[in-house]
Amino acid sequence: METISRIIENINHCLWGLPMILLLSGTHLYMTWKTGFIQRRLPLAIRLSLTRDKTSEGDISPFAALSTSLASTLGTGNIIGVGTAIALGGPGAVFWCWLTGVFGIATTYAESLIAVKYRVRTNDGTMLGGAMYALERGLRLKPLGILFAVFGVLTSFGIGCGVQVNAISAIVSPFLRRAAESFSGLSRLLDRFPELPALSIGLVAGLITCAVIFGGVRSVSKVCERLVPFMALFYMLGCFFLLFANRSFLGKAISLILRSAFMETDALAGGMAGSGIMLAARYGISRGLFSNEAGMGSAPIIAAAARSRNPVRQALIASTATFWDTVVVCLITGLVLVSSLLALEPTASGTASGTLSGGELTSAAFSRIPYVGQAILIFGIITFAYATILGWSYYGERCLEYLFGKISLFPYRFLWILVLVFAPVIRLELVWSISDTLNALMAIPNLIAILLLSDVIAKDTRYYLKHLDEKAPPVR
C-alpha cells in the first residue's frame, strides 16, 4: 500500500505541477477576458437562478440543477479539503483556493454554456449534455469525448463516492467505538473486527443512497433542492460564530494568508505548515478545483438537464455554484481555520508544527464553539458529503450512458453502492491522492473543449447580453 501511495503521489506531482497550474489558471483568466469579465453579471445570474422557466425544454428546474451542482461541490472539500490545503500548503493556500474560485466562475460559465448548447434529447425525452457531447458535436473530437467520459466514470468513484463516505466514517466511527465500550459483548466483537464500525457506516450510507439514485435525476435533484440550502445555512452560522469569536485575530489571519501566498514561510504553531509559493499554489488550486470543480466538466452535466430557453441563461445560473462554493464558503472556512489556529497558538505549543491533518485542523477550530462546535462540524461533514455522493452518482451515470447506453445504468448503481459500503476501510490519504489524479485527467479534455470553442462561447455571450439589455432575451 505504501508503494502504491508513493507512485500516485509522484503522478500527482507531475499532473499538478506547473503545466497544470498554468493550464487551469490560464483558462480561468482567458475565459474571464473572452467573456468580457462575466463575473460582473453575478447579480443577474443569482436573480435568474431564483426564476422559474416552466415553458422551456429540460428535465428539471434551473434551481434544482443548481442545487444538485452545489450538492456535488459543497462536499468535504469545503471543510476537510480547505484544512488539508492549509496543513500541506500553509495559510497561503487559502488565497490560491479563493482566487481559483473568482476566476473559475468564467470557466464554469463557459463549460456550462457548451454543455447546454450541444446537449441531445434521447428517445425517452431525457436531456443529456456535457463535455463529451461538446467535444463530439461541437468539435468532431469523439475520441476525446470518450476519454472524458471514461475519466468521469472513474472520478465519480473517487471524488464523488470514496472520499465522501470515507470522511463520514472518519467522523462517526469514533462515536460508535465509544458507544460500544459500554457493552462488553460489542467491545470484544470490535476487538476482533476493528473495521466493523466503518463497514456499518458504509452499509447505512449505501442503503440511504440506493433509495434515492434508483429514482433517477428527478429523485436526486428533489433531495438536493431541499437539503442543500438547509445544510449550507447551518454550517455558515457556525462559521460566522467562529469569525465573531476570532474577530481580534481576523486582521492577522488575512495578513498571514496573503503573505504566505507570495513568499516562503516558516512552520507555525497550531499545526499550520510552512510553505513556498509553488506548494501553496499547488494545494490551494488543487483543493479549489476539488471543491468547486471549475474546469473539470462535472457540473455542466447537470446544467444540461435544466429547463432553459438559452444556453447562456443556464450558464449564468450554473456559474453561481462556483461563487457560492469557493468565493464564499471556502474563503470563510479558510478564515475560520487560520484565525482559530492563531487564537489557539498559545495553547498549541505542545503540538508539533505541521503534524496535524486537515481534519484535525478543522476539528481544533470548531472545538472553540462551546458545547455544539463538534456537532456542527459533524453535521456539516455528513450532510455535505452525502449531498456530494448524490450529485456525483448522476454525473457518473451520464458519462457511462454516453459510453454504453442506458443498459449500463443498473450495474453502475449496484457498483456505486458496493464502493460506498467498502470505501470507509481504505486509507483516506490514498483516496484523496487518487482523486487528485483523476481530477486532473478529467479536466484536460474538458479544458480543450472550452478553449477550442471559446469563440463560440464569446459570440453567444455577446448576443444574449445585447438582447438582454434591450429587454428582449432571445430564444435560440
Side-chain angles (χ1 to χ4, degrees), residues 253-274:
I254 294 171
S255 175
L256 179 60
I257 289 170
L258 293 175
R259 191 171 69 253
S260 302
F262 297 103
M263 62 181 67
E264 299 279 345
T265 58
D266 296 324
L268 302 165
M272 289 188 285

Side-chain angles (χ1 to χ4, degrees), residues 241-253:
F241 178 91
L242 281 172
L243 288 177
F244 179 78
N246 300 336
R247 59 192 181 278
S248 59
F249 295 92
L250 276 179
K252 186 178 179 181

Side-chain angles (χ1 to χ4, degrees), residues 199-219:
L199 286 173
S200 300
I201 293 164
L203 182 61
V204 172
L207 291 174
I208 296 174
T209 304
C210 180
V212 179
I213 66 175
F214 276 89
V217 63
R218 287 184 174 85
S219 176

